[in-house]
Amino acid sequence: MYLLNHTIATGGIIHSEYIRPAALEARAAAALGPPPPHQMPNDPQNQYAIDAFLKTGLDQVHPDVTFMWLNDPDGTAHSKGIGAELTLKSLALVDAGIGRIEDTLRARGLLDRTNIFVTSDHGFSTHSGANGLKLAALVDPFAKSMADGTKDIVVSEGAIYLRSGADTARVSAIVAALQKRPEVGAIFTRPRAGGGGEGTVPGTLSFDVARWNHPRSGDILVSANWNSDKNTAGVAGKTTDTGVAGHGTSSPYDIHNTLIAAGPDVREHAVSDVPTANVDIAPTLLHLLGMTPAPTMTGRVMNEALRDGPAIASVPVAHVVTTVRTPDGGYELSAHLSRVVGHTYLDFTEVKRAATPVR
Ligand SMILES: [Zn+2]
């Protein structure tokens, strides 16, 4: 299997900016030429990735599994917005590119032996422009100076990290300030002792709910707030993030992504509302290859999507809501979760603020 494994001498990674292993570079250059520059829509680089599969992968490497990253429509949607003319054009070009893959596989007699999964790593929301959430500025008053004169709080995307070590009082003070800001949505902190969905700071969810509890996580994780308002193109889903459009909040519009599959092992003309996540794709691919997913894998085999799997309607799905609130009741945060055969998925979070905190 050559899935993202650049150490396989005959296979490897062909990306528009790098090729691994280096030995693959000459072969890729002979088959593909140099990668085209980035454009908007970025169809030339997407076509380069498709050619890398069709001309070096399919002809020379014969991989069992190919992971192909098409970097548009992401870039175009970020800068032009969801439903914008160029973003729709980008989507149509990706669709045509996938059609080209299928046509080539069909012409070589490979299509009916190939399962194709098309997914995205996130959904998309319309952002608040320049007036959105400015997390670094909100947190800055709480920063202290380190010995070298730099500030001791680092803010990166929604993560807040205190470089000078654990400081429960300051973490609580930052959270309390953020809970009062309407542009702030869900707030997550380290898991409370004894488990459960609440974090160490009252009125926050545990990192575990967002699967963010790992050795390199920060002290606080913040999501911009969201609503279901429509943008000028009529597409629902807005967040208070800055910029034109993007993703990364716990809004359902950001969390829910695309998954379309077709192939000899995949159920035909079926629509499934059984929750899945990208973490389920690797175990499903292993299952299709006749291999047992390792117990360390967090995902599940999407059996209900497969022809020999259980009927979609027969899979039990439980919906669970975990709600936490500040002691004064001014900020209430709910995590909407789905459970399927022992696996839990975060569907979205929801924040309610009392106009006047209850005392
Ligand atoms: Zn993006």
Side-chain angles (χ1 to χ4, degrees):
M1 199 158 98
Y2 308 117
L3 181 70
L4 289 184
N5 186 350
H6 73 274
T7 65
I8 301 288
T10 51
I13 298 170
I14 301 177
H15 182 274
S16 51
E17 289 165 15
Y18 58 85
I19 293 171
R20 299 283 185 279
L24 183 61
E25 195 155 352
R27 275 202 286 157
L32 307 170
H38 192 280
Q39 289 178 45
M40 197 172 298
N42 200 23
D43 191 54
Q45 285 193 350
N46 281 355
Q47 297 299 335
Y48 186 82
I50 292 168
D51 282 332
F53 168 64
L54 296 177
K55 294 181 183 173
T56 62
L58 211 54
D59 286 347
Q60 300 174 28
V61 178
H62 314 294
D64 296 311
V65 176
T66 298
F67 175 89
M68 183 188 299
W69 177 57
L70 302 172
N71 75 31
D72 228 21
D74 182 72
T76 303
H78 271 288
S79 95
K80 301 297 175 187
I82 312 155
E85 194 182 336
L86 272 188
T87 304
L88 296 178
K89 187 176 174 193
S90 167
L91 279 166
L93 288 166
V94 169
D95 190 51
I98 294 167
R100 184 160 77 89
I101 294 169
E102 289 186 311
D103 289 345
T104 308
L105 291 173
R106 188 182 292 109
R108 299 189 191 186
L110 294 171
L111 186 62
D112 59 4
R113 293 200 278 132
T114 307
N115 294 301
I116 301 178
F117 292 78
V118 177
T119 189
S120 62
D121 53 333
H122 49 75
F124 240 99
S125 294
T126 298
H127 285 181
S128 297
N131 300 320
L133 169 62
K134 294 181 180 68
L135 192 59
L138 292 177
V139 171
D140 191 61
F142 296 91
K144 295 176 183 171
S145 283
M146 303 283 283
D148 63 0
T150 59
K151 291 184 175 176
D152 76 338
I153 299 183
V154 176
V155 177
S156 175
E157 301 288 334
I160 300 170
Y161 172 63
L162 275 63
R163 294 165 65 204
S164 40
D167 184 342
T168 312
R170 208 146 45 115
V171 166
S172 296
I174 294 168
V175 167
L178 295 175
Q179 285 167 330
K180 293 188 177 70
R181 303 289 308 200
E183 70 271 37
V184 171
I187 305 174
F188 303 82
T189 55
R190 293 191 191 288
R192 185 172 283 252
E198 192 162 24
T200 47
V201 179
T204 64
L205 289 166
S206 160
F207 286 166
D208 284 329
V209 172
R211 297 237 179 117
W212 204 63
N213 190 31
H214 59 82
R216 292 176 61 245
S217 55
D219 296 281
I220 307 169
L221 179 64
V222 179
S223 167
N225 216 346
W226 66 271
N227 62 40
S228 293
D229 289 355
K230 289 181 179 172
N231 69 4
T232 50
V235 182
K238 289 192 174 179
T239 78
T240 56
D241 270 317
T242 53
V244 176
H247 45 84
T249 76
S250 45
S251 151
Y253 299 94
D254 284 2
I255 287 184
H256 291 130
N257 61 323
T258 304
L259 177 61
I260 303 166
D265 295 306
V266 180
R267 217 179 266 288
E268 265 184 310
H269 307 297
V271 176
S272 173
D273 55 4
V274 176
T276 63
N278 283 357
V279 72
D280 299 327
I281 292 177
T284 302
L285 297 183
L286 289 169
H287 172 77
L288 290 174
L289 288 165
M291 299 162 83
T292 305
T296 49
M297 298 188 95
T298 46
R300 66 182 180 91
V301 177
M302 295 181 276
N303 285 302
E304 72 279 5
L306 306 178
R307 284 176 205 254
D308 60 0
I312 290 166
S314 75
V315 179
V317 179
H319 296 287
V320 185
V321 182
T322 297
T323 299
V324 296
R325 51 182 73 79
T326 52
D328 69 1
Y331 172 93
E332 183 183 288
L333 169 61
S334 298
H336 292 249
L337 306 156
S338 293
R339 294 215 172 106
V340 183
V341 290
H343 293 254
T344 302
Y345 300 83
L346 173 61
D347 295 320
F348 63 95
T349 62
E350 198 169 21
V351 168
K352 287 178 188 156
R353 284 184 171 85
T356 311
V358 187
R359 296 212 172 263

